[in-house]
Amino acid sequence: MNFPVWEVPVLGGGMLIGVIAVVHVFISHFAVGGGLFLVMTERKAYSEQSAVLLDYVKRHSKFFMLLSVVAGAVTGVGIWFTIGLIHPSATSALIHAFVWGWAIEWVFFLVEVTSIIVYVKTWETMNRRSHIIVGWVYAVSSLLTLAVINGIVAFMLTPGDWLETRGFWDGIFNPSYLPSLVARTLIAVGFAGVYAFLTATRLEETAERATIIRYSALWALPALVLLPVALYWYYGVIPETAKEIIGGGIEAIESTAHYGMIAAVVLLLLVLVGPLLRPRSFSFGQALVLLVLASLSLFAAERVREAVRKPYVLFGYMYSNAVRVEDYERVEEAGLLASSKWLSVRAIDESNELTVGRELFRAQCMSCHTVGGYQDILPHLADRTVEDLEVILMDMPSFRGYMPPFAGNDQERLALARWLMTLPGPEARPLSEGGH
Amino acid sequence: MADFVVIPDVDPIPLPAPVWLLKALLLLTFLLHIIPMNLVLGGGLTSFVTEVLGRRRGSEYHLRLARSFARMIPVAVAFAITLGVAPLLFLQVLYGQLFYTSTILMAWPWLAVIALVILGYYGFYLYSYRWQRWRGVRLWVVMGSALLFMAVALIYSNAVTLMLRPEAFASLYHMAGAGSHWNIGEPTAIPRYLHFLVASFAVTGLFVIIYGMRQLRSEESYGRWALRYGAGWFIVATIVQMAVGIWFLVALPREVMMLFMGGSVFATILLGLGFLLPIVSLMLVLQASRALHPRPMAWTGIGVLAVTLVVMVLIRDLVRDGYLGGKFNVMDRVADPQWGIILIFALVLLGGLGTVGYLLGKAAAATAEAR
C-alpha cells in the first residue's frame, strides 16, 4: 500500500524469503555453536597433548571460517535484502523500533568476524594462551549476536507489551524471548557437533579418528535431548492462533511440524547408534545423511515459525498484506485506491475495472500468493462465481482461516473478484507471462 | 497516467534518535566501509594487472606483490561487508521510504548482489588458497571476482541514486518490467560510478605504498619498488579522477551543482577542498616515491588523502539531500530518542572497537614475533 510490489514469479515472495532464510539459519546456528566447539576442542587438545586433535581443530576452523564468514554472513545480509523487497513496511517497522538493537548486534558481528579471521590466521604464530582468548572472544561474540537478533525475531510472533508501550525493552524481552533463545542455543550447539562429523570423518583411519567422532557425538547429544523441552516451553508462550495452526488449522503446517519432529528424533537415534556407539565404521556419507536430517528438521521448525504468525507479518501490529491493524478500518472505509500510492488508477469505472482488480491483487495478495506457482491462487477459484468471491472477500478470516481481511471498499472487492474470475483454470500458464 | 511524484509515507514509528546523530553515524560508518570496499574493488583488478606484468616481464617483485594481494583481499572483503551493514542500517532508518522503493524497482539486480558477492568472495579465497595448485587458472579466477565486485558496485551505485529520484518512481513502476529497472539513463549515473571505481585504484595504490614502507625494514629494494609501484597507481588514478570528478560535477542537476558553486558556502568550501587536497596529496606521494627517506612525506600524503575521503563523504551527503530538496527533507523527521539504549550502544561500540583493536594488535604482534 505504502510501497510498490515486486512480483516474484513461481516461488512467490514468502517462499523466496524462506529459501534464503533457511540457508542462513542453518549456517548461522552452526556458526554460533561452532565457536564453543572450536575453542573447547582446542583446549582439550592442549590438555591431552593430542597432536591429531589439534591438527583436526585447525583444519575444521578453516572450513568453519569459509562457511560462516562468507556464505553465513552474506546470506544474513541477504535475508535483510529480501524482506526489504517483499515486506518493506514490516522491515521499516522493525528497523524503526529496533535501530539500536540492530546497531548493537552489528558491533558484536564486527567482533565476531574479526576474531574468527584472527583465530584461523594465527594458529602457527600466536602463543596458546592468546589463541584460546581469541577463540573465546569469537564464541562469546557470536552468542551475543544471537541474543540480540533472537529478540527481534521472537518479537515478530509475540510482541507482548510493545503493542501498548512501544518500548524498546518490551519489544526485545518479549514473552517468547527466553524459550526461543534457549531453543536456538541448543540447536546451535547440537548442530556444531553434526557439522564436526563432516570434517572428522575425513580424517585418516586412526584410533584418534574414532575418538574425535565419539567426542563430536557427545557434544551434540545433550543439546539434541534437551531441545524438545525448550520447544515445549516455547510452545507454551505462543499465541492461541499459532497453536491452532500447528494443531491442524493449516494442514500443511501441521504435517510440516510432524515431519520436522520425526526428522529430529531419527537424527537423535542415528547419532546414538552411529557415531556414538560405532565411531569406527561411521563414514562421511553417513555424516552427510545426519546433516541432511538436521537441515530438514530446522527447515520444518522455521517454516512452522513463519506460518504461525498468520494473518500477521508482525503479530497484532501489521497484517501480512502490509496493512497496519490500526489503519485497517480507515482503509476499508476510504478504499484502497484512495489509500494506496501505487495504483495507476484513481477511480473505478467499467473500462478500468479489470486493471484495478489486477492491481488490487498485486497490492493485497502477492506478498503470499502467486498465480500458477507456490501458494497458487488458481485452485481456490475452481467452481467459484464472482458472488462467491465477493462473500469470501467480505470476511476473509472466517472463510479462509488465518488470512488477513481484505482492505478495501465494496466496489474494490467487486473489481478484485471480477478480475480473479478472468483467470484461467488451475492448470493454466503462469500470469507473469502475459497477465498485464 | 502516473505523472505525479509519489513518495511513500515515512514510518509512523518515530525515529529512536535525533536526526543529527543517525546522520553522523551514517556518514561515519560509511567512511569506515569505503576503505576496505575500495581495497576490494581496486585490489582485484590491481592484483590481476600486477600478476600479468610479473609474468610478462618475469618480475619476481610483481608476483610477490600479487601474492600479498591474494592474502589481503579476502580479509578486506570481510571488513567491507561487515562495515557495510551499519551504513545500510542508518540509511534505511533515515531514508527508508525512498530506499525500499528504489530497490523494489530494481529488485532483481539488487537481490543478485547476494549471489555475486558470495561468488566473488569465494573466488578471492580460491585465488589465495589455491595459489600454487591453480597456477594456470588463478588469473582468470581473480579477474572474475574483480568483475563480480565491479558489478556489485554498479548495482549499489544505481540503487542509491534511483532512490534520489522519486519523480521517476511511479512511471517506472507502471512500466512493464518493474523489478528490473536500472538508473543508467540518469546523467550522473556513469560519472558517479566511475568516480567510485577510479577512487578505489587510488586507495589501493596508497595501501601498496604503506605495504612498501613496511617492507623497507626487512628488504630495502623490494620495499622501494613497492612504494614506487603503489605511487604510480595512486598518481595515475588521481589524475584520471580529476577529469571524472569534473564530469560528475557538470552532470549534476543545475540546482545541485549550484550549491557547490557558491549556492552554499559550506558546500563550496568542501568542493574546493575536494579539488585541492588530492593535488597536495599527489605532490607529496610523488616526492616520497623519489625521496631517500620516504616515510614522513608519504604518511603526510596519506593523511591528506584520508581528509579528502572525509570531504568526499560529506559532499556525497550534500548531493543526496540536494537531489531531494523540496521533495523530502530528512531533517523534518519526527524523533523520540531512546537515550538509555543509545548510551548502551555507545558503550557496546567502544567495547567492540576496543576488542577489535585488541585482536588486530595481538595478531600483528604474533606475526611480528614469528618473523
Side-chain angles (χ1 to χ4, degrees):
Chain A
M1 199 168 73
N2 195 34
F3 288 102
V5 178
W6 175 39
E7 298 179 27
V8 185
V10 188
L11 273 185
M15 193 60 176
L16 182 68
I17 296 175
V19 169
I20 296 174
V22 164
V23 174
H24 174 69
V25 162
F26 199 59
I27 300 173
S28 62
H29 281 74
F30 156 63
V32 170
L36 288 170
F37 179 83
L38 283 175
V39 71
M40 290 176 79
T41 312
E42 184 187 359
R43 277 181 47 164
K44 185 177 156 71
Y46 292 151
S47 71
E48 292 174 6
Q49 301 191 324
S50 162
V52 178
L53 189 59
L54 189 63
D55 188 53
Y56 163 72
V57 193
K58 276 182 204 170
R59 276 202 261 171
H60 186 70
S61 72
K62 199 166 162 185
F63 155 78
F64 179 88
M65 181 191 71
L66 285 176
L67 191 62
S68 64
V69 173
V70 185
V74 181
T75 50
V77 178
I79 298 184
W80 189 22
F81 272 44
T82 322
I83 61 173
L85 294 172
I86 308 288
H87 285 300
S89 298
T91 308
S92 175
L94 289 176
I95 295 273
H96 277 75
F98 300 117
V99 166
W100 299 113
W102 297 107
I104 289 169
E105 196 223 351
W106 166 71
V107 177
F108 295 143
F109 175 48
L110 181 63
V111 174
E112 186 187 10
V113 169
T114 312
S115 53
I116 190 64
I117 291 175
V118 170
Y119 186 78
V120 172
K121 282 203 170 236
T122 55
W123 275 110
E124 312 303 333
T125 51
M126 195 177 271
N127 65 58
R128 289 180 172 187
R129 200 178 143 268
S130 299
H131 198 257
I132 291 269
I133 293 178
V134 174
W136 278 115
V137 170
Y138 175 74
V140 172
S141 56
S142 59
L143 271 171
L144 286 171
T145 59
L146 176 66
V148 180
I149 194 73
N150 174 67
I152 297 170
V153 174
F155 165 87
M156 295 167 76
L157 178 61
T158 56
D161 293 339
W162 182 90
L163 291 175
E164 272 82 50
T165 64
R166 299 284 156 94
F168 178 87
W169 299 115
D170 287 331
I172 291 284
F173 295 120
N174 58 72
S176 65
Y177 177 82
L178 260 189
S180 165
L181 182 65
V182 172
R184 284 184 187 281
T185 308
L186 290 172
I187 291 173
V189 171
F191 280 21
V194 176
Y195 268 99
F197 294 146
L198 281 190
T199 43
T201 47
R202 305 286 283 178
L203 291 171
E204 283 170 35
E205 300 284 343
T206 56
E208 273 97 347
R209 178 185 183 272
T211 317
I212 294 173
I213 289 175
R214 177 170 287 165
Y215 167 74
S216 305
L218 283 171
W219 178 274
L221 271 176
L224 294 178
V225 171
L226 285 173
L227 187 57
V229 183
L231 288 177
Y232 184 74
W233 179 18
Y234 178 76
Y235 184 80
V237 299
I238 61 176
E240 284 309 312
T241 50
K243 291 178 188 165
E244 277 170 36
I245 291 175
I246 300 174
I250 301 179
E251 264 176 52
I253 297 307
E254 187 190 20
S255 53
T256 305
H258 285 165
Y259 290 131
M261 282 187 249
I262 292 168
V265 171
V266 173
L267 173 69
L268 179 64
L269 293 175
L270 288 181
V271 171
L272 278 173
V273 301
L276 187 70
L277 297 177
R278 293 192 197 83
R280 258 170 223 291
S281 58
F282 188 59
S283 70
F284 180 72
Q286 290 167 333
L288 270 183
V289 172
L290 296 192
L291 191 73
V292 170
L293 279 172
S295 347
L296 284 178
S297 56
L298 187 60
F299 169 75
E302 291 292 330
R303 176 154 190 237
V304 170
R305 188 188 56 74
E306 283 288 317
V308 297
R309 258 195 339 255
K310 288 179 183 192
Y312 302 101
V313 59
L314 301 177
F315 202 94
Y317 177 72
M318 186 183 288
Y319 290 113
S320 42
N321 54 11
V323 179
R324 271 180 216 88
V325 175
E326 61 186 30
D327 293 341
Y328 173 69
E329 275 183 30
R330 186 174 54 77
V331 177
E332 195 188 29
E333 208 166 288
L336 197 69
L337 286 186
S339 313
S340 171
K341 294 173 180 283
W342 298 99
L343 304 179
S344 61
V345 178
R346 296 280 101 185
I348 304 184
D349 56 46
E350 269 175 35
S351 69
N352 65 21
E353 190 178 40
L354 291 179
T355 312
V356 173
R358 196 200 176 284
E359 293 200 8
L360 289 170
F361 181 76
R362 179 151 84 159
Q364 292 264 306
C365 318
M366 285 196 99
S367 61
C368 304
H369 289 286
T370 66
V371 179
Y374 180 71
Q375 300 271 40
D376 191 0
I377 195 76
L378 297 179
H380 301 294
L381 304 176
D383 307 320
R384 299 278 190 208
T385 63
V386 169
E387 291 71 28
D388 292 343
L389 291 179
E390 267 196 287
V391 173
I392 293 172
L393 286 169
M394 193 85 82
D395 191 2
M396 294 291 282
S398 32
F399 279 94
R400 305 285 321 160
Y402 317 110
M403 279 190 52
F406 174 78
N409 60 27
D410 293 344
Q411 211 184 4
E412 290 164 348
R413 218 185 319 269
L414 182 63
L416 175 57
R418 288 216 171 120
W419 179 77
L420 284 170
M421 290 314 291
T422 65
L423 291 176
E427 62 288 330
R429 67 194 159 82
L431 175 78
S432 50
E433 285 172 18
H436 277 280
Chain B
M1 189 157 42
D3 50 352
F4 39 86
V5 179
V6 178
I7 304 184
D9 296 330
V10 297
D11 204 283
I13 302 174
L15 291 177
V19 176
W20 63 262
L21 178 61
L22 292 166
K23 188 134 204 179
L25 286 167
L26 168 63
L27 300 184
L28 177 70
T29 54
F30 181 71
L31 180 68
L32 293 177
H33 163 65
I34 55 172
I35 296 167
M37 180 273 268
N38 273 317
L39 277 178
V40 175
L41 200 55
L45 208 65
T46 309
S47 187
F48 174 80
V49 172
T50 306
E51 200 187 330
V52 169
L53 289 175
R55 287 186 181 203
R56 287 240 170 118
R57 300 178 186 168
S59 158
E60 183 58 30
Y61 284 174
H62 281 89
L63 290 175
R64 220 164 121 187
L65 180 62
R67 178 78 188 104
S68 295
F69 263 117
R71 290 210 184 93
M72 183 274 295
I73 297 176
V75 178
V77 179
F79 280 101
I81 293 172
T82 313
L83 293 170
V85 165
L88 200 59
L89 172 68
F90 295 118
L91 181 76
Q92 287 190 23
V93 77
L94 284 174
Y95 299 92
Q97 77 283 16
L98 300 162
F99 172 81
Y100 296 126
T101 309
S102 129
T103 50
I104 288 167
L105 293 173
M106 52 184 296
W108 288 112
W110 181 245
L111 194 63
V113 163
I114 301 302
L116 299 178
V117 167
I118 291 179
L119 278 177
Y121 200 166
Y122 277 127
F124 280 137
Y125 261 117
L126 286 173
Y127 184 58
S128 173
Y129 284 177
R130 294 282 157 93
W131 183 263
Q132 292 299 341
R133 250 190 290 175
W134 284 15
R135 256 197 120 250
V137 290
R138 68 170 190 239
L139 262 180
W140 299 109
V141 173
V142 71
M143 184 68 198
S145 282
L147 289 176
L148 288 173
F149 277 98
M150 281 158 75
V152 169
L154 181 65
I155 297 168
Y156 258 88
S157 165
N158 265 263
V160 297
T161 46
L162 180 57
M163 160 188 147
L164 304 180
R165 298 173 57 219
E167 64 277 5
F169 289 169
S171 55
L172 285 176
Y173 181 54
H174 294 296
M175 228 184 260
S180 33
H181 292 300
W182 291 73
N183 196 38
I184 290 286
E186 208 262 346
T188 63
I190 290 167
R192 185 184 175 111
Y193 174 62
L194 289 178
H195 205 50
F196 265 85
L197 200 59
V198 174
S200 72
F201 293 109
V203 172
T204 305
L206 281 189
F207 267 81
V208 177
I209 292 176
I210 296 174
Y211 169 85
M213 287 194 294
R214 288 185 57 144
Q215 299 293 324
L216 276 179
R217 283 176 223 141
S218 48
E219 201 182 333
E220 169 99 28
S221 67
Y222 176 56
R224 285 211 178 269
W225 173 83
L227 205 162
R228 272 199 311 278
Y229 186 71
W233 279 90
F234 174 74
I235 290 165
V236 172
T238 306
I239 291 169
V240 174
Q241 188 69 308
M242 292 283 169
V244 175
I246 293 169
W247 179 12
F248 187 13
L249 180 68
V250 298
L252 286 170
R254 206 186 137 68
E255 61 277 17
V256 181
M257 185 177 79
M258 290 321 285
L259 285 177
F260 294 91
M261 309 289 243
S264 146
V265 178
F266 181 57
T268 311
I269 292 174
L270 282 180
L271 183 69
L273 286 174
F275 269 103
L276 208 63
L277 292 176
I279 297 175
V280 174
S281 184
L282 190 145
M283 298 297 189
L284 286 164
V285 167
L286 192 65
Q287 290 300 318
S289 70
R290 296 170 179 168
L292 193 60
H293 300 290
R295 286 208 182 83
M297 232 148 358
W299 278 114
T300 317
I302 291 162
V304 173
L305 199 90
V307 179
T308 315
L309 283 184
V310 176
V311 169
M312 288 298 165
V313 167
L314 292 172
I315 289 179
R316 180 174 174 274
D317 185 55
L318 290 174
V319 169
R320 168 164 50 209
D321 286 342
Y323 258 87
L324 293 172
K327 286 163 249 170
F328 170 69
N329 186 353
V330 71
M331 298 318 261
D332 293 344
R333 294 208 48 186
V334 182
D336 181 11
Q338 302 169 339
W339 288 112
I341 304 145
I342 295 173
L343 182 68
I344 293 175
F345 166 71
L347 295 174
V348 170
L349 182 63
L350 281 178
L353 292 178
T355 312
V356 168
Y358 168 83
L359 290 165
L360 295 178
K362 277 274 177 197
T367 316
E369 231 169 84
R371 276 186 194 160

